[in-house]
Amino acid sequence: MAILSINQVNKEFQIPTGTVKALNNISLQVEEGEFICIVGASGCGKSTLLRIIAGLERQTTGTVLYENTPITEPSTERGVIFQESRLFPWLTVEKNIEFGISNSVDKLSKKELIRHYLNIVGLQEFRKAFPHQLSGGMQQRVSIARALINQPKILLLDEPFGALDALTKMTMQDEILRIREYQKSTMILVTHDIDEAVYLADRVVIMSSRPGTIRKVLNIQLPRNRNRNSADFVYYRDIIYQQFFKQEEPDFNYDI
Ligand SMILES: Nc1ncnc2c1ncn2[C@@H]1O[C@H](COP(=O)(O)OP(=O)(O)OP(=O)(O)O)[C@@H](O)[C@H]1O
Ligand SMILES: [Mg+2]
Protein backbone atom coordinates (compact mmCIF):
# COMPACT_ATOMS: atom_id res chain seq x y z
CA MET A 1 0.00 0.00 0.00
CA ALA A 2 1.28 3.48 -0.88
CA ILE A 3 1.91 5.73 2.12
CA LEU A 4 0.74 8.66 0.00
CA SER A 5 -1.79 8.47 -2.78
CA ILE A 6 -2.46 11.52 -4.96
CA ASN A 7 -5.28 11.05 -7.44
CA GLN A 8 -6.38 13.41 -10.22
CA VAL A 9 -5.65 16.51 -8.19
CA ASN A 10 -6.51 19.92 -9.61
CA LYS A 11 -5.87 23.22 -7.87
CA GLU A 12 -7.22 26.60 -8.84
CA PHE A 13 -6.59 29.90 -7.06
CA GLN A 14 -8.88 32.88 -7.28
CA ILE A 15 -7.06 36.15 -7.82
CA PRO A 16 -8.55 39.62 -8.47
CA THR A 17 -8.15 39.26 -12.24
CA GLY A 18 -9.59 35.75 -12.49
CA THR A 19 -8.60 32.15 -11.86
CA VAL A 20 -5.08 30.68 -11.81
CA LYS A 21 -4.92 26.97 -12.54
CA ALA A 22 -1.85 25.83 -10.61
CA LEU A 23 -2.17 22.03 -10.83
CA ASN A 24 -3.78 19.96 -13.53
CA ASN A 25 -4.71 16.32 -13.05
CA ILE A 26 -1.81 15.28 -10.81
CA SER A 27 -1.66 11.60 -9.84
CA LEU A 28 1.24 10.00 -7.95
CA GLN A 29 1.61 7.04 -5.62
CA VAL A 30 4.49 7.23 -3.11
CA GLU A 31 5.73 4.09 -1.36
CA GLU A 32 6.98 4.12 2.23
CA GLY A 33 10.69 4.92 2.43
CA GLU A 34 10.90 6.29 -1.10
CA PHE A 35 12.91 9.37 -1.97
CA ILE A 36 10.94 11.42 -4.50
CA CYS A 37 12.32 14.56 -6.12
CA ILE A 38 9.97 16.92 -7.93
CA VAL A 39 11.56 19.15 -10.58
CA GLY A 40 9.97 21.80 -12.74
CA ALA A 41 10.19 25.42 -13.81
CA SER A 42 9.32 28.28 -11.48
CA GLY A 43 5.58 28.66 -11.02
CA CYS A 44 4.66 25.14 -12.17
CA GLY A 45 2.96 24.32 -8.86
CA LYS A 46 5.66 22.44 -6.91
CA SER A 47 5.15 24.33 -3.66
CA THR A 48 1.39 24.16 -4.08
CA LEU A 49 1.57 20.38 -4.40
CA LEU A 50 3.80 20.13 -1.33
CA ARG A 51 1.47 22.39 0.67
CA ILE A 52 -1.49 20.19 -0.27
CA ILE A 53 0.40 17.09 0.92
CA ALA A 54 1.31 18.94 4.13
CA GLY A 55 -2.36 19.77 4.69
CA LEU A 56 -1.73 23.53 4.51
CA GLU A 57 -3.78 23.92 1.33
CA ARG A 58 -6.78 22.04 -0.06
CA GLN A 59 -7.00 20.77 -3.62
CA THR A 60 -9.93 22.04 -5.70
CA THR A 61 -10.77 18.53 -6.96
CA GLY A 62 -9.22 15.07 -6.61
CA THR A 63 -8.09 13.13 -3.55
CA VAL A 64 -4.91 13.07 -1.48
CA LEU A 65 -4.66 10.14 0.93
CA TYR A 66 -2.07 9.62 3.63
CA GLU A 67 -2.12 6.01 4.83
CA ASN A 68 -5.50 5.66 3.12
CA THR A 69 -7.06 8.64 4.94
CA PRO A 70 -7.85 11.99 3.28
CA ILE A 71 -5.48 14.79 4.29
CA THR A 72 -7.50 17.66 5.76
CA GLU A 73 -5.02 19.40 8.07
CA PRO A 74 -1.32 19.51 8.96
CA SER A 75 0.09 16.67 11.07
CA THR A 76 3.37 16.04 12.85
CA GLU A 77 3.60 12.85 10.78
CA ARG A 78 4.26 15.08 7.75
CA GLY A 79 7.16 17.45 8.53
CA VAL A 80 7.77 20.43 6.27
CA ILE A 81 10.91 22.37 5.47
CA PHE A 82 9.82 25.51 3.67
CA GLN A 83 11.37 27.22 0.68
CA GLU A 84 12.16 30.33 2.72
CA SER A 85 13.72 30.31 6.17
CA ARG A 86 11.09 30.18 8.87
CA LEU A 87 13.40 30.45 11.88
CA PHE A 88 12.46 32.93 14.58
CA PRO A 89 15.30 35.49 14.68
CA TRP A 90 14.71 36.26 18.37
CA LEU A 91 15.03 32.62 19.48
CA THR A 92 18.25 30.65 19.93
CA VAL A 93 18.96 27.52 17.90
CA GLU A 94 17.70 25.22 20.66
CA LYS A 95 14.57 27.33 21.25
CA ASN A 96 13.84 27.33 17.53
CA ILE A 97 14.10 23.54 17.51
CA GLU A 98 12.05 23.24 20.69
CA PHE A 99 9.30 25.26 19.03
CA GLY A 100 8.74 22.38 16.62
CA ILE A 101 8.12 19.76 19.30
CA SER A 102 4.63 18.49 19.79
CA ASN A 103 3.06 19.71 23.08
CA SER A 104 2.39 16.18 24.24
CA VAL A 105 6.11 15.61 24.93
CA ASP A 106 7.15 16.21 28.56
CA LYS A 107 9.88 18.70 29.49
CA LEU A 108 12.62 16.19 30.27
CA SER A 109 12.08 14.26 27.06
CA LYS A 110 12.06 17.56 25.15
CA LYS A 111 15.57 18.31 26.45
CA GLU A 112 16.79 14.87 25.42
CA LEU A 113 15.21 15.17 21.99
CA ILE A 114 16.75 18.60 21.39
CA ARG A 115 20.20 17.33 22.37
CA HIS A 116 19.79 14.31 20.11
CA TYR A 117 18.74 16.30 17.05
CA LEU A 118 21.34 19.01 17.62
CA ASN A 119 23.90 16.23 17.38
CA ILE A 120 22.35 14.77 14.26
CA VAL A 121 22.63 18.07 12.42
CA GLY A 122 26.03 18.84 14.01
CA LEU A 123 25.04 22.05 15.81
CA GLN A 124 25.54 21.11 19.47
CA GLU A 125 28.06 23.87 20.10
CA PHE A 126 25.83 26.47 18.43
CA ARG A 127 22.76 25.68 20.52
CA LYS A 128 22.83 29.10 22.22
CA ALA A 129 23.44 31.05 19.00
CA PHE A 130 20.80 33.13 17.23
CA PRO A 131 19.98 32.55 13.54
CA HIS A 132 21.86 35.67 12.37
CA GLN A 133 25.03 34.22 13.93
CA LEU A 134 24.81 31.15 11.67
CA SER A 135 25.70 30.56 8.03
CA GLY A 136 22.91 29.80 5.54
CA GLY A 137 23.71 26.08 5.63
CA MET A 138 23.65 26.02 9.42
CA GLN A 139 20.29 27.81 9.47
CA GLN A 140 18.93 25.23 7.08
CA ARG A 141 20.20 22.48 9.40
CA VAL A 142 18.25 24.08 12.25
CA SER A 143 15.12 23.92 10.07
CA ILE A 144 15.86 20.28 9.32
CA ALA A 145 16.29 19.47 13.03
CA ARG A 146 13.03 21.27 13.82
CA ALA A 147 11.19 19.25 11.19
CA LEU A 148 12.82 15.95 12.22
CA ILE A 149 12.21 16.25 15.92
CA ASN A 150 8.69 14.84 15.77
CA GLN A 151 10.05 11.93 13.74
CA PRO A 152 7.72 12.51 10.81
CA LYS A 153 6.93 9.57 8.58
CA ILE A 154 7.14 11.87 5.56
CA LEU A 155 9.52 14.78 5.25
CA LEU A 156 8.47 17.44 2.72
CA LEU A 157 11.36 19.66 1.62
CA ASP A 158 10.69 22.68 -0.58
CA GLU A 159 13.94 23.69 -2.30
CA PRO A 160 15.76 23.33 1.01
CA PHE A 161 19.21 24.04 -0.42
CA GLY A 162 18.25 26.62 -3.05
CA ALA A 163 20.03 29.51 -1.35
CA LEU A 164 23.26 27.65 -0.58
CA ASP A 165 26.56 27.72 -2.45
CA ALA A 166 27.48 24.66 -4.50
CA LEU A 167 29.84 23.07 -1.97
CA THR A 168 27.56 23.53 1.06
CA LYS A 169 24.69 22.22 -1.01
CA MET A 170 26.55 18.98 -1.77
CA THR A 171 27.39 18.52 1.90
CA MET A 172 23.75 19.07 2.83
CA GLN A 173 22.61 16.57 0.22
CA ASP A 174 24.83 13.92 1.82
CA GLU A 175 23.53 14.99 5.20
CA ILE A 176 19.93 14.47 4.15
CA LEU A 177 20.76 11.00 2.78
CA ARG A 178 22.47 10.13 6.06
CA ILE A 179 19.49 11.34 8.09
CA ARG A 180 17.14 9.41 5.86
CA GLU A 181 19.18 6.24 6.39
CA TYR A 182 18.94 6.76 10.12
CA GLN A 183 15.36 7.96 10.37
CA LYS A 184 13.86 5.78 7.61
CA SER A 185 11.45 8.53 6.60
CA THR A 186 9.85 8.94 3.20
CA MET A 187 11.22 12.07 1.51
CA ILE A 188 9.59 14.36 -1.03
CA LEU A 189 11.98 17.09 -2.09
CA VAL A 190 11.22 19.91 -4.52
CA THR A 191 14.11 21.33 -6.48
CA HIS A 192 14.91 22.97 -9.78
CA ASP A 193 18.43 21.59 -9.61
CA ILE A 194 18.49 18.58 -11.93
CA ASP A 195 21.79 17.23 -10.56
CA GLU A 196 20.35 17.35 -7.05
CA ALA A 197 17.37 15.30 -8.18
CA VAL A 198 19.52 12.63 -9.86
CA TYR A 199 21.84 12.50 -6.85
CA LEU A 200 19.09 12.08 -4.27
CA ALA A 201 16.01 10.49 -5.78
CA ASP A 202 14.69 6.99 -6.20
CA ARG A 203 12.20 8.57 -8.60
CA VAL A 204 12.20 11.99 -10.22
CA VAL A 205 8.85 13.58 -11.01
CA ILE A 206 9.23 16.06 -13.85
CA MET A 207 6.53 18.72 -14.01
CA SER A 208 5.64 20.96 -16.92
CA SER A 209 4.71 24.61 -16.66
CA ARG A 210 1.39 26.12 -15.71
CA PRO A 211 -0.96 24.55 -15.22
CA GLY A 212 1.44 22.11 -13.58
CA THR A 213 1.12 18.57 -14.88
CA ILE A 214 3.38 15.56 -14.43
CA ARG A 215 5.29 15.17 -17.66
CA LYS A 216 7.34 12.12 -16.73
CA VAL A 217 8.31 9.99 -13.73
CA LEU A 218 11.83 8.63 -14.00
CA ASN A 219 13.29 5.76 -11.95
CA ILE A 220 16.91 6.46 -11.04
CA GLN A 221 18.42 3.01 -10.97
CA LEU A 222 21.83 3.93 -9.60
CA PRO A 223 23.38 2.55 -6.43
CA ARG A 224 24.40 4.99 -3.70
CA ASN A 225 26.81 6.77 -3.19
CA ARG A 226 26.28 8.21 -6.62
CA ASN A 227 29.08 9.61 -8.70
CA ARG A 228 27.94 12.87 -10.28
CA ASN A 229 30.39 12.44 -13.14
CA SER A 230 29.65 8.84 -14.08
CA ALA A 231 28.23 8.07 -17.51
CA ASP A 232 25.03 6.72 -15.94
CA PHE A 233 24.53 9.87 -13.91
CA VAL A 234 24.97 12.03 -17.01
CA TYR A 235 22.55 9.78 -18.88
CA TYR A 236 19.77 10.47 -16.34
CA ARG A 237 20.62 14.15 -16.20
CA ASP A 238 20.23 14.36 -19.98
CA ILE A 239 16.85 12.67 -19.98
CA ILE A 240 15.57 15.18 -17.42
CA TYR A 241 17.08 18.14 -19.28
CA GLN A 242 15.32 17.05 -22.43
CA GLN A 243 12.00 16.77 -20.62
CA PHE A 244 12.59 20.03 -18.79
CA PHE A 245 13.12 22.06 -21.92
CA LYS A 246 10.67 20.18 -24.11
CA GLN A 247 8.31 22.87 -25.32
CA GLU A 248 4.68 22.35 -26.16
CA GLU A 249 3.96 23.04 -29.81
CA PRO A 250 3.68 26.84 -30.21
CA ASP A 251 0.14 27.95 -30.99
CA PHE A 252 1.24 30.43 -33.66
CA ASN A 253 3.29 30.27 -36.88
CA TYR A 254 6.50 32.12 -37.55
CA ASP A 255 6.72 34.13 -40.74
CA ILE A 256 10.25 33.76 -42.00
N1 LIG B 1 -2.09 31.61 -2.48
C1 LIG B 1 -2.08 31.78 -3.80
N2 LIG B 1 -2.99 32.61 -4.39
C2 LIG B 1 -3.02 32.76 -5.72
N3 LIG B 1 -2.18 32.14 -6.58
C3 LIG B 1 -1.27 31.33 -6.06
C4 LIG B 1 -1.15 31.10 -4.65
N4 LIG B 1 -0.14 30.22 -4.42
C5 LIG B 1 0.35 29.94 -5.63
N5 LIG B 1 -0.31 30.57 -6.62
C6 LIG B 1 -0.06 30.46 -8.06
O1 LIG B 1 0.04 29.10 -8.39
C7 LIG B 1 1.10 28.88 -9.32
C8 LIG B 1 2.07 27.87 -8.74
O2 LIG B 1 2.75 28.43 -7.62
P1 LIG B 1 3.83 27.63 -6.77
O3 LIG B 1 4.29 28.51 -5.69
O4 LIG B 1 3.24 26.33 -6.41
O5 LIG B 1 4.98 27.41 -7.87
P2 LIG B 1 6.43 26.73 -7.71
O6 LIG B 1 6.52 25.66 -8.73
O7 LIG B 1 6.66 26.36 -6.30
O8 LIG B 1 7.39 27.93 -8.15
P3 LIG B 1 8.87 28.32 -7.61
O9 LIG B 1 9.83 27.34 -8.26
O10 LIG B 1 9.06 29.70 -8.12
O11 LIG B 1 8.87 28.23 -6.12
C9 LIG B 1 1.72 30.23 -9.59
O12 LIG B 1 1.19 30.74 -10.80
C10 LIG B 1 1.27 31.10 -8.45
O13 LIG B 1 1.08 32.42 -8.86
MG1 LIG C 1 7.99 27.03 -4.85
Side-chain angles (χ1 to χ4, degrees):
M1 184 192 78
I3 188 168
L4 184 72
S5 177
I6 303 169
N7 304 294
Q8 296 172 352
V9 161
N10 291 284
K11 176 67 185 176
E12 288 175 359
F13 290 106
Q14 300 305 326
I15 57 168
T17 47
T19 303
V20 178
K21 191 156 173 69
L23 295 173
N24 182 31
N25 200 21
I26 300 284
S27 294
L28 182 70
Q29 311 303 314
V30 179
E31 299 299 324
E32 190 159 6
E34 256 195 307
F35 202 134
I36 301 282
C37 282
I38 302 175
V39 297
S42 180
C44 76
K46 305 180 296 295
S47 295
T48 303
L49 182 59
L50 225 57
R51 288 173 60 80
I52 291 173
I53 299 168
L56 295 164
E57 195 87 64
R58 286 300 296 274
Q59 64 276 19
T60 309
T61 59
T63 57
V64 186
L65 306 177
Y66 169 71
E67 291 187 330
N68 253 349
T69 309
I71 294 172
T72 54
E73 57 183 5
S75 151
T76 51
E77 299 208 326
R78 281 168 275 121
V80 191
I81 295 171
F82 293 98
Q83 192 165 3
E84 67 288 343
S85 170
R86 296 260 174 118
L87 298 181
F88 300 112
W90 60 89
L91 293 182
T92 60
V93 165
E94 60 185 0
K95 289 289 176 197
N96 261 291
I97 295 175
E98 183 177 348
F99 192 84
I101 307 181
S102 152
N103 280 336
S104 56
V105 179
D106 66 65
K107 211 168 172 187
L108 208 67
S109 316
K110 271 188 184 175
K111 270 195 153 168
E112 267 311 301
L113 274 173
I114 293 167
R115 199 199 335 258
H116 181 66
Y117 281 95
L118 275 169
N119 275 330
I120 285 185
V121 295
L123 287 174
Q124 186 62 30
E125 58 181 307
F126 289 92
R127 64 190 179 281
K128 299 286 181 201
F130 289 90
H132 76 271
Q133 295 169 316
L134 306 176
S135 71
M138 289 155 91
Q139 290 181 23
Q140 203 52 281
R141 280 189 269 156
V142 179
S143 304
I144 291 171
R146 190 169 66 181
L148 285 177
I149 205 154
N150 292 313
Q151 297 165 359
K153 285 203 176 163
I154 299 188
L155 197 57
L156 306 165
L157 306 107
D158 195 353
E159 296 192 35
F161 315 134
L164 304 180
D165 67 89
L167 272 179
T168 313
K169 192 191 244 194
M170 285 192 250
T171 312
M172 293 296 295
Q173 289 164 354
D174 285 330
E175 196 112 314
I176 213 76
L177 288 174
R178 189 177 59 77
I179 288 169
R180 176 206 185 210
E181 199 58 37
Y182 166 83
Q183 192 114 350
K184 308 274 178 239
S185 14
T186 306
M187 302 268 184
I188 304 180
L189 183 144
V190 162
T191 181
H192 44 228
D193 180 337
I194 294 173
D195 274 40
E196 180 164 281
V198 178
Y199 190 70
L200 294 175
D202 296 318
R203 283 193 294 156
V204 179
V205 174
I206 306 159
M207 287 181 67
S208 66
S209 289
R210 223 169 346 127
T213 49
I214 294 183
R215 185 168 263 174
K216 189 176 178 67
V217 180
L218 187 66
N219 275 308
I220 309 290
Q221 290 167 328
L222 294 177
R224 315 203 185 244
N225 296 317
R226 294 177 179 167
N227 176 350
R228 297 171 203 259
N229 297 314
S230 71
D232 288 342
F233 195 99
V234 174
Y235 163 79
Y236 283 114
R237 181 200 291 158
D238 266 359
I239 294 180
I240 300 173
Y241 262 110
Q242 281 169 27
Q243 291 291 329
F244 214 78
F245 294 111
K246 196 162 98 180
Q247 298 295 321
E248 311 300 347
E249 287 299 315
D251 55 1
F252 54 88
N253 293 316
Y254 290 104
D255 277 325
I256 304 173

